[in-house]
Amino acid sequence: GLFSVKLASMLMLIGGLPKRSGSDGGGGGGGTRGEIHFLLVGDPGTGKSQIQRYVSRLAPRAVVTSGKSSSAAGLTAAAIKDGPNWTLEAGALVLADGGVCCIDEFDSVREADRAALHEAMEQQTCSVAKAGLVTTLHTRAAVFGTCNPRGHKRYSPRHPLSEQLDISGPLLSR
């Protein structure tokens, strides 16, 4: 069962090829990412988290996190005081670079922390400017999110997805 979910999971694991634009075709301009992001929406208790865990075991590099307990720093990077110096500690999306970042309860990520997801999913980078450290980290990872419909109701294919989830349109489009 669940053929379409398994097929979508497989395609996300395989990924695509990044396209580079420019006169030489080798990266002179912008490009299109090769990673495929996947959002699995379904009724509570239908095994979404189990599929996500299975995908994380299949992926050569995978990080599993929960949207409820994740902050922007936990998803991207955090500045940590190490004696007199500051260091950067990688978050889930940075650790999953080149693999899959599985975010369970994707809709539970706080609204203030979702801005970090926009850049990471679209530009595949994470800009950090914390404690005097200014850098850009790569987040070239496929994002596999799972969530339940709003209010733990049942999923309805008759209603638009934006009405059933607590996720903004720009984030859904990524």
Side-chain angles (χ1 to χ4, degrees):
L2 300 174
F3 175 76
S4 59
V5 172
K6 291 175 183 175
L7 178 63
S9 300
M10 182 191 69
L11 292 173
M12 180 196 56
L13 283 169
I14 293 170
L17 293 173
K19 285 180 153 182
R20 299 288 174 210
S21 62
S23 59
D24 62 352
T32 304
R33 61 180 157 75
E35 283 71 33
I36 299 168
H37 303 307
F38 179 34
L39 179 64
L40 183 59
V41 181
D43 297 337
T46 54
K48 299 178 297 295
S49 298
Q50 285 78 7
I51 291 171
Q52 199 174 50
R53 279 195 293 270
Y54 187 72
V55 165
S56 72
R57 287 193 304 257
L58 285 175
R61 175 181 279 182
V63 175
V64 180
T65 187
S66 173
K68 269 188 180 174
S69 61
S70 294
S71 64
L75 291 171
T76 56
I80 305 294
K81 183 107 169 140
D82 187 22
N85 300 322
W86 287 88
T87 59
L88 283 178
E89 186 173 299
L93 289 165
V94 176
L95 290 173
D97 185 37
V100 178
C101 182
C102 299
I103 305 175
D104 198 12
E105 300 178 21
F106 188 79
D107 57 333
S108 296
V109 175
R110 290 179 293 277
E111 190 64 38
D113 300 330
R114 290 183 184 174
L117 287 173
H118 286 279
E119 180 187 2
M121 292 175 75
E122 184 65 29
Q123 305 299 323
Q124 296 183 313
T125 59
C126 163
S127 300
V128 179
K130 299 176 182 178
L133 302 170
V134 180
T135 189
T136 301
L137 303 170
H138 291 289
T139 59
R140 298 168 297 210
V143 176
F144 180 13
T146 60
C147 59
N148 296 322
R150 184 181 315 181
H152 299 285
K153 295 181 181 174
R154 309 236 352 139
Y155 174 75
S156 172
R158 295 182 184 164
H159 295 95
L161 196 56
S162 60
E163 288 180 9
Q164 298 185 61
L165 300 177
D166 287 328
I167 301 174
S168 65
L171 191 56
L172 274 177
S173 70
R174 285 165 176 80

